[in-house]
Amino acid sequence: MDTRKSIEVTRGGEMVEPIPLVADVSDTSSKHDESTNLLRPFPTDDEWATLPRVPGSIPWTAWTVAFVEFAERFSYYGTSAVFVNFIQKDLPPGSKTGAGFLKKPGSGALGMGQRASTGVTTFNQFWSYFTPLFGAYLADQYWGRYKTIQYANIISIIGHVILIISAIPQVIIHPQAALGIFFVGLIIMGVGTGGFKSNISPLIAEQYKDQKAYVRIKKSGAKEIVDPAVTTARIYIYFYFLINCGSLTGSLAMVYSEHYVGFWLSYTLPTICYLICPGVLLYFKKHYKLAPPTGSVMGKAWKLIRLAFKGRGSWNPSTLKKNLRDENFWNHVKPSAIRARGDPVPAWMTFDDAWVDEVRRGVLACKVFLWYPLYWLAYNQMSNNLVSQANTMVLGKTPNDIVSKLNPIFIIIVIPIMDFGVYPLLRKMGVRFTPIKKITAGFVLSSFAMVSACVTQAYIYKMSACGSHINALTKAGRKDCTANISVWVQVFPYGLIGMSEVLASITKLEYAYTKAPVNMRSTVQAIALFTSAVSSALGQALVGLSEDPLLVWNYGSVAVVAMIGGIGFYLTFRKADRDEDSMNNQHESRFIGETQGGEEIEKSVVEVRGEKGEKV
């Protein structure tokens, strides 16, 4: 092939020869003409610089995994949508179910107040995004992603059943007993969520078989690059689309169940829906591409990082920064470099040089995620304080906890616009809207969302007859506290946060998958999720502001923090865009890990598999 060396060569990888094309018979939705091509040549430097980059076809197996995520999020958000009212408000007089029939003060159960409800929902967010660390460890080390997800499904169903018990008429009339049972269900359900969330995201992207970019010739004769990174981004766009479809439908149904029937129904229907998850995964298991557990990979990665840091620490910030940015920081711990120096290679270093580069790329992803807790501080306001804020404005016949569904509605609307309109237009104009730029824009939009919430809260205090003590006086029985502001003004914070998620949250999923070593994808995804847990822990520090008359300060503080996070993030990682292509297309390591018996696993040849799993 008479072409210049590809990016892989210039970055130290191997030359990628044209790959024989095999039509993916499992993809019935593809309308492209891949099967008419005979070769898949890797793009040259000129082609990377000039040709448009397009996504490949999403395999049908990925859609089945996305459906499972839809069902799980239907159940998760369906139950959590009613948590604020369940915890904050008193049981309506004469009620044994908590249903308030949309009459003031509305549905309730435990009567613990806004500060307590914010604290409990914040803890739930922390717990649900802390446990993925354990789910990822079990998947990568022992069980693999599929088996871990199935075990997690069983645990989650048990947690859901316990939540039902906390809300049945015989229990809900005893707030202390209901609270204890509710907490047990919350803890167990969080464990299941951790095992599920850390593994479902890598599982869906793994169903796409092409791991390397290639040049495709269209029927018109024009060339384009089918880029796995662009395909992964598109997979996660629709993965997130179905997440929010599940969130929207589950929340709408459960909120109205809460108000017209009771909390027990709001917990029962999601449990029934969740039963779909293990069944779908079991039925389609034979069609999935499943990665095996990889043994002690995490231990090797940690030892490698420690070896790279050895002798580079310093109390002088300038010296430390210089040492960490040394271009040989990772090169000097590659096995070939150690041998070249004549030093003995550690016994645990059974991997190749390419795996060191993969770990380096994964560490960069984790550094990117360090800024996310500041973003999630704004996002988390949706599940507690903004729900309570809605209750202080003119609702009409709208439940206070239904207004938050503006968020998934915006996401569902914006995603197709971005995928079919904005992103193709930017590609056509030659504008590369890279992950770093997307994340930065997401931070900025989340800050604007909190500014709008802050302004709204200030006007609530100004226009309410109860002033800045509206919640306390309403709970005391005063009837004229409602501010004469339509609750639909919350379209601004919910809409802006939704738009920010399309940029920042989806890109986080994409970045975690494309930058992680192949044998550590669950772990890196769990670290990305853990940033939300860190944010929830930071949010506990703001719980003291989640009460009148300090709510203006609450939203204002979060707005400032999110903006500072966006600026700091961009200044820190703006140069990472320069190496985006080389990172996505670097030479893949042959090292996978080891079996449970201790035998090393190594890649040999790339296999293309057909629908039924046979070699083609």
Side-chain angles (χ1 to χ4, degrees):
M1 183 174 65
D2 187 20
T3 59
R4 294 195 304 145
K5 290 185 176 181
S6 69
I7 288 178
E8 290 220 15
V9 177
T10 60
R11 298 296 178 182
E14 295 178 352
M15 183 65 181
V16 176
E17 297 296 337
I19 305 169
L21 178 67
V22 178
D24 186 1
V25 296
S26 66
D27 186 3
T28 58
S29 64
S30 176
K31 297 187 184 300
H32 295 297
D33 57 335
E34 288 105 336
S35 60
T36 63
N37 293 281
L38 297 177
L39 296 175
R40 286 181 170 178
F42 190 82
T44 64
D45 284 344
D46 286 337
E47 288 169 334
W48 275 115
T50 59
L51 294 183
R53 305 180 191 190
V54 298
S57 300
I58 300 176
W60 69 268
T61 49
W63 290 109
T64 67
V65 178
F67 176 77
V68 170
E69 173 72 358
F70 165 85
E72 190 273 343
R73 291 291 91 180
F74 178 100
S75 65
Y76 179 85
Y77 284 109
T79 53
S80 61
V82 303
F83 282 173
V84 171
N85 284 351
F86 184 79
I87 300 165
Q88 178 175 341
K89 298 181 183 179
D90 292 309
L91 197 69
S95 174
K96 292 185 178 180
T97 64
F101 301 96
L102 299 183
K103 299 176 183 177
K104 289 286 188 177
S107 302
L110 305 182
M112 297 175 64
Q114 181 173 349
R115 184 173 292 178
S117 72
T118 300
V120 173
T121 53
T122 301
F123 168 77
N124 180 53
Q125 292 159 2
F126 167 81
W127 181 242
S128 296
Y129 291 101
F130 171 73
T131 52
L133 293 173
F134 299 99
Y137 174 78
L138 292 172
D140 283 343
Q141 183 89 5
Y142 298 109
W143 296 337
R145 276 182 270 282
Y146 177 85
K147 188 179 291 186
T148 304
I149 291 171
Q150 291 291 51
Y151 287 151
N153 285 335
I154 295 172
I155 295 171
S156 288
I157 290 170
I158 293 172
H160 276 286
V161 171
I162 295 174
L163 287 184
I164 296 172
I165 296 173
S166 73
I168 60 176
Q170 295 87 343
V171 176
I172 201 171
I173 59 175
H174 304 289
Q176 294 301 318
L179 176 63
I181 296 172
F182 175 79
F183 256 108
V184 172
L186 212 62
I187 294 294
I188 295 175
M189 197 170 76
V191 173
T193 300
F196 185 94
K197 289 297 292 180
S198 57
N199 294 293
I200 198 72
S201 297
L203 181 65
I204 188 172
E206 282 178 341
Q207 304 315 306
Y208 181 67
K209 298 178 177 65
D210 292 321
Q211 299 299 312
K212 290 295 180 184
Y214 63 92
V215 176
R216 178 173 65 191
I217 302 176
K218 300 193 292 184
K219 290 180 179 179
S220 63
K223 291 182 178 182
E224 58 188 10
I225 297 173
V226 180
D227 191 348
V230 178
T231 308
T232 300
R234 192 176 203 191
I235 287 173
Y236 280 126
I237 280 178
Y238 287 103
F239 181 69
Y240 209 75
F241 180 88
L242 285 173
I243 284 175
N244 284 275
C245 286
S247 168
L248 178 62
T249 54
S251 300
L252 286 173
M254 298 321 119
V255 165
Y256 280 102
S257 297
E258 159 209 347
H259 285 286
Y260 286 104
V261 179
F263 289 100
W264 68 268
L265 185 62
S266 298
Y267 296 152
T268 300
L269 294 178
T271 305
I272 295 172
C273 181
Y274 203 115
L275 295 173
I276 297 173
C277 296
V280 171
L281 289 172
L282 184 62
Y283 184 81
F284 291 108
K285 180 182 179 182
K286 63 182 178 181
H287 299 290
Y288 291 142
K289 177 184 176 183
L290 302 176
T294 53
S296 57
V297 167
M298 275 300 298
K300 292 180 187 294
W302 177 242
K303 290 177 181 178
L304 177 65
I305 293 170
R306 288 178 57 190
L307 184 63
F309 272 89
K310 188 175 180 180
R312 294 180 178 271
S314 174
W315 292 106
N316 186 320
S318 178
T319 302
L320 180 62
K321 182 178 179 180
K322 180 180 178 181
N323 289 343
L324 296 182
R325 292 188 174 184
D326 183 0
E327 62 181 15
N328 290 316
F329 182 86
W330 292 99
N331 290 333
H332 87 287
V333 293
K334 290 182 176 180
S336 62
I338 295 175
R339 294 189 190 97
R341 293 195 300 267
D343 297 334
V345 178
W348 51 267
M349 193 174 282
T350 58
F351 44 81
D352 53 13
D353 288 0
W355 195 69
V356 178
D357 289 328
E358 290 187 7
V359 172
R360 175 185 186 177
R361 188 178 61 185
V363 169
L364 171 65
C366 293
K367 288 164 63 179
V368 165
F369 302 148
L370 287 176
W371 288 91
Y372 265 86
L374 304 184
Y375 170 79
W376 296 124
L377 277 176
Y379 174 88
N380 290 343
Q381 298 297 311
M382 291 194 305
S383 61
N384 40 58
N385 285 319
L386 284 175
V387 176
S388 300
Q389 185 189 71
N391 206 44
T392 63
M393 294 184 283
V394 178
L395 286 165
K397 292 295 183 180
T398 304
N400 71 306
D401 42 4
I402 209 74
V403 185
S404 62
K405 300 313 115 187
L406 288 168
N407 172 257
I409 288 173
F410 258 86
I411 292 172
I412 291 170
I413 293 172
V414 168
I415 280 178
I417 293 174
M418 299 298 287
D419 184 45
F420 292 107
V422 177
Y423 290 154
L425 179 62
L426 291 176
R427 287 195 292 264
K428 189 174 181 179
M429 295 170 60
V431 177
R432 292 201 61 207
F433 199 26
T434 58
I436 300 302
K437 294 173 184 174
K438 290 179 184 177
I439 295 170
T440 302
F443 270 86
V444 173
L445 287 175
S446 69
S447 176
F448 289 164
M450 290 300 100
V451 170
S452 68
C454 181
V455 172
T456 299
Q457 189 64 49
Y459 273 93
I460 288 172
Y461 286 158
K462 182 178 180 180
M463 299 178 68
S464 170
C466 299
S468 59
H469 293 86
I470 184 170
N471 285 292
L473 293 177
T474 297
K475 186 174 182 179
R478 188 165 171 176
K479 304 295 185 182
D480 62 342
C481 287
T482 301
N484 189 25
I485 303 173
S486 173
V487 72
W488 297 111
V489 74
Q490 287 192 325
V491 69
F492 292 104
Y494 284 123
L496 287 168
I497 289 178
M499 293 169 66
S500 79
E501 286 181 72
V502 173
L503 296 170
S505 189
I506 296 177
T507 306
K508 178 204 69 176
L509 296 172
E510 169 197 342
Y511 214 75
Y513 181 81
T514 58
K515 301 301 181 290
V518 174
N519 43 16
M520 292 175 61
R521 282 172 175 162
S522 288
T523 299
V524 175
Q525 189 65 249
I527 293 172
L529 292 168
F530 180 66
T531 61
S532 185
V534 174
S535 179
S536 296
L538 294 174
Q540 289 288 355
L542 296 176
V543 168
L545 299 178
S546 299
E547 193 68 89
D548 296 330
L550 303 174
L551 287 167
V552 172
W553 286 96
N554 172 74
Y555 296 123
S557 300
V558 174
V560 171
V561 167
M563 183 60 73
I564 291 174
I567 295 171
F569 172 83
Y570 183 73
L571 292 177
T572 303
F573 296 108
R574 66 188 186 279
K575 294 182 180 179
D577 283 341
R578 178 187 57 195
D579 299 324
E580 182 70 14
D581 284 334
S582 62
M583 287 191 293
N584 289 338
N585 294 285
Q586 69 184 32
H587 178 60
E588 287 189 11
S589 171
R590 293 170 58 88
F591 172 71
I592 295 295
E594 62 184 32
T595 64
Q596 293 186 19
E599 182 180 351
E600 292 287 341
I601 308 171
E602 206 178 68
K603 288 182 184 176
S604 53
V605 294
V606 176
E607 297 174 355
V608 181
R609 295 184 179 272
E611 182 177 9
K612 295 182 179 179
E614 70 274 11
K615 293 182 184 178
V616 178

